[in-house]
Amino acid sequence: MPGIRVLVANEPRAYRDTLASLVRAHRPTVDVIVAEPTGIDDALVAHDPHLVFCSRVTELLLTKAPAWIVLYPNGAGLVVASIAGHQHTATDLDTTHLLALVDETAQFTIDAGSFA
């Protein structure tokens, strides 16, 4: 399966670094980009990611990213994921679920023929 680009731009930094390391370790074909949350829009333009992990949604994120995952929005114990416009909410994000979301994004990207 070809790799996708995943942007990790969530708070706090330790969690951001852990997510990036986890994806790199378990999905070595995935190109993982880490960015500060305040620079998420710039990173979206520069890297054109297929999937974004973030702490908040921006207008650019909604129009540019085919898949995004908001981790604990406004401190709530929720994870909101949107892949190809299909949104769902979970109460937590364990390793298995995180990797399944990466795989789902990769499969959607292959099916849509949107590797660039």
Side-chain angles (χ1 to χ4, degrees), residues 3-72:
I4 59 171
R5 287 178 303 280
V6 174
L7 174 61
V8 183
N10 62 293
E11 291 289 355
R13 181 180 182 166
Y15 196 31
R16 180 170 60 247
D17 292 344
T18 300
L19 282 172
S21 295
L22 186 124
V23 173
R24 286 179 179 130
H26 291 277
R27 299 297 183 269
T29 61
V30 171
D31 182 16
V32 179
I33 302 110
V34 178
E36 290 293 326
T38 55
I40 192 169
D41 285 345
D42 292 337
L44 283 164
V45 171
H47 301 287
D48 197 25
H50 298 97
L51 173 62
V52 178
F53 287 94
C54 57
S55 297
R56 64 179 177 81
V57 174
T58 68
E59 288 299 317
L60 187 61
L61 176 73
L62 293 174
T63 60
K64 189 148 180 64
W68 48 265
I69 299 164
V70 179
L71 303 169
Y72 313 112

Side-chain angles (χ1 to χ4, degrees), residues 86-109:
H86 300 283
Q87 200 169 25
H88 66 276
T89 302
T91 56
D92 202 3
L93 183 68
D94 62 19
T95 301
T96 301
H97 188 211
L98 176 131
L99 295 173
L101 290 167
V102 171
D103 294 343
E104 184 178 347
T105 301
Q107 189 59 53
F108 164 74
T109 303

